[in-house]
Amino acid sequence: MEQNPRPKTILETCGEEITRIVTPVSICMLSVVILVSVLNRGSSLDDGLEFASMATMAYSESSSDSIWDKLKGALLNSLVFVAVVTAATFLMVLLFYLKCTKFLKYYMAFSSLLVLGFMGGEIAIFLIKASSFPIDCFTFAVALYNFTVVGVMAVFMSRMAIFITQAYLVVIGVLVAYWFTLLPEWTTWGLLVAMSLYDLAAVLLPGGPLRLLVELAMDRDEDIPALVYEARPVISDAGLGDGVVRRRVWREGRGDFDENQRLRSDRVPDSSLRSYLYGESESERNIVDAENGRALGGDSELAAPLMQHINIRMNSLENAASSDNLALEGIGLGSSGAIKLGLGDFIFYSVLVGRAAMYDFMTVYACYLAVIAGLVLQKTDNCGMAMHRLKFQYGMEQSNLRKLRVKTVELLLALRVPLRR
Amino acid sequence: MDDDSRAALSNLHPVAGAGNLLPTTDEASSSTGRSVRIEWPTIDGPLGLSHEESLTYARRFFKLGFLFLPFLWAVSCFYFWPVLRHPHSHQSHPRLRRYLVGSAIGFLLFTTVLSSWALTFVVGGERLFGHVWGELVMYNVAEKYGLAGWI
């Protein structure tokens, strides 16, 4: 480990953070494009397959219908889908309100089991059929079982290597996105538009379920159980003079008091800036969590990303942190919270790009560029705002720290504690 | 006064109070030359588990792996790679290492058995198995039970 690394510039830190989120999104999109081109299903030419699912309950599209019929059918399908998703989200709000968080967690684990096990198995079978790979059923069963169980554990049950967790989240995104590309064409486009509008409504309107969910979570200082991709935080120990690497906590929920009480106390003296940022990314995360707090396995989230900054508890966090801040070693400048992106965004972008892959690769490229540009701009904006607050906060914190340091030294002297041996 | 002062200091400083998270002086590694002192038992470094939690998790992974989950053993070895890699360091955790070595051995055994069976199946083919091969291969099984159609 480096003792005194060159302090990273804001640009480098931001850039690295953005790269760490753009990479998995790109991998997800690429995988869906590959799957779509290899399996070549659901193209507008191939309408012989009966694809009955929840999303096509109201109307099954066929190529013989006129454009107007298709449009009406797509609209109907989208409305039905949005209605089901709204109902599911309200149910989730109710359960969260009644503090059935454990039940929600188990339900999420169950739905990721379904996605990984059943959808993963199906897609694997498609691939095996397409390539005539001579694997036998026992090996396949064992492999699928392993893959699924470890996936569920990685995502929901226990702490596991960050790489494994991230990989499994991307895989879940790929599988659900591929499933969505199997829908008929007009229905897919209708769904994408409808889900974007629904998301706007659900988050912004005062009665919207996502807003309620976020407010509940904020009031109780709890985590919504949800599928959120978290990149590794960019650790820069510029401010730590003697090379002490403090233990950061990854994916640390704010509400897990029993096991994490000690860990929270580890985290706080790290920097009040960082907890400030954590507060901010918690707010983002709560929004994004809310978007993805809905159940998977059919009612999947095709949410357009809405990174709003709700200034929750900024002041309370700041006060608590500065009073706890006995960081004698100084603040870790530039150490920021992890950057997060909801899995719904992954799925949304991948469905878009996957659909485009059914036409032409130039379309794919254009869509990809548009998505990446939007994502980078959004994240840079977040980053910039965070850094701006950081700088402002840093100035204030320096003076606070100096006062605290003086006070601590005085206290220790008063207790006749020798400071140095 | 020594203990009191340290206790007072650790009470004031939450990080220092958290036991072995601060690096202590490196007596062991300086004497044993090349051996590295493991600071963090997991591959995630400071973002991973602490030393105490690692034991719990390693034990859990080891025990769960017996449910036909060699992948879990592999993941466990991957996760605690620093402990596996540096057996003679300052905080070498003999108990943790035992679970890890067990996981590694289990994974290798299971994989050998499974891959030998799979390779026999692929290479042997019809000549070795006769008509049973057609009944065991996955794509036929999927056709027979209609597994590919109910997405």
Side-chain angles (χ1 to χ4, degrees), chain B residues 7-30:
Chain B
L9 260 178
S10 62
N11 282 340
L12 287 173
H13 194 156
V15 173
N20 52 6
L21 294 179
L22 285 179
T24 52
T25 52
D26 255 331
E27 313 102 13
S29 59
S30 56

Side-chain angles (χ1 to χ4, degrees), chain A residues 7-23 231-236 277 280 284 333-340 375-391:
Chain A
K8 285 190 170 149
T9 64
I10 285 176
L11 198 63
E12 278 178 18
T13 321
C14 262
E16 196 167 329
E17 293 228 4
I18 289 172
T19 313
R20 286 184 186 180
I21 202 79
V22 164
T23 312
R232 280 176 210 252
V234 176
I235 301 175
S236 116
L277 260 178
E280 162 169 322
E284 291 176 14
L333 177 64
S335 61
S336 52
I339 201 167
K340 298 174 177 79
L375 194 63
V376 168
L377 278 175
Q378 183 193 76
K379 291 298 173 187
T380 318
D381 181 52
N382 289 354
C383 226
M385 275 211 252
M387 287 299 167
H388 178 72
R389 286 208 198 104
L390 211 150
K391 277 170 93 167

Side-chain angles (χ1 to χ4, degrees), chain A residues 118 122 126 134-137 139-140 145-146 159 161-162 168 179 244 247-248 265-266 269 326 329 412 421, chain B residues 2 12-14 21-22 44 46-48 57 67-71 79 117 121-122 136-138 147-148 150-151:
Chain A
F118 288 107
E122 291 250 8
F126 288 155
I135 193 173
D136 65 299
C137 47
T139 319
F140 180 78
Y145 167 67
N146 267 272
R159 292 278 298 279
I162 295 180
Y168 268 108
W179 184 85
V244 169
R247 182 147 173 272
R248 269 97 173 151
S265 62
D266 281 359
L326 292 173
E329 288 100 6
L412 291 177
R421 320 226 117 248
Chain B
D2 213 334
L12 287 173
H13 194 156
L21 294 179
L22 285 179
D44 292 332
L47 299 167
Y57 276 91
L67 301 171
F68 282 98
L69 291 169
F71 191 40
Y79 196 26
W117 157 249
F121 191 83
V122 168
L136 284 180
V137 77
M138 193 59 212
L147 293 173
W150 52 276
I151 193 169

Side-chain angles (χ1 to χ4, degrees), chain A residues 322-384:
Chain A
S322 53
S323 63
D324 283 339
N325 194 348
L326 292 173
L328 295 171
E329 288 100 6
I331 312 170
L333 177 64
S335 61
S336 52
I339 201 167
K340 298 174 177 79
L341 187 64
L343 216 61
D345 299 340
F346 277 77
I347 294 170
F348 190 91
Y349 301 146
S350 307
V351 170
L352 182 66
V353 169
R355 255 292 147 190
M358 292 180 192
Y359 304 111
D360 193 0
F361 277 112
M362 283 316 287
T363 325
V364 171
Y365 195 52
C367 289
Y368 173 75
L369 282 179
V371 164
I372 295 295
L375 194 63
V376 168
L377 278 175
Q378 183 193 76
K379 291 298 173 187
T380 318
D381 181 52
N382 289 354
C383 226

Side-chain angles (χ1 to χ4, degrees), chain A residues 237-251:
Chain A
D237 302 312
L240 303 174
D242 49 7
V244 169
V245 180
R246 280 200 200 75
R247 182 147 173 272
R248 269 97 173 151
V249 186
W250 186 75
R251 279 189 108 186

Side-chain angles (χ1 to χ4, degrees), chain B residues 88-110:
Chain B
H88 305 297
S89 85
H90 175 56
Q91 291 186 345
S92 60
H93 284 287
R95 287 187 301 168
L96 183 64
R97 243 191 94 72
R98 229 177 293 145
Y99 287 125
L100 283 187
V101 170
S103 304
I105 292 175
F107 168 65
L108 287 171
L109 268 171
F110 206 104

Side-chain angles (χ1 to χ4, degrees), chain B residues 66 70 73 102-116:
Chain B
F66 282 108
W73 279 330
S103 304
I105 292 175
F107 168 65
L108 287 171
L109 268 171
F110 206 104
T111 317
T112 321
V113 168
L114 197 66
S115 49
S116 55

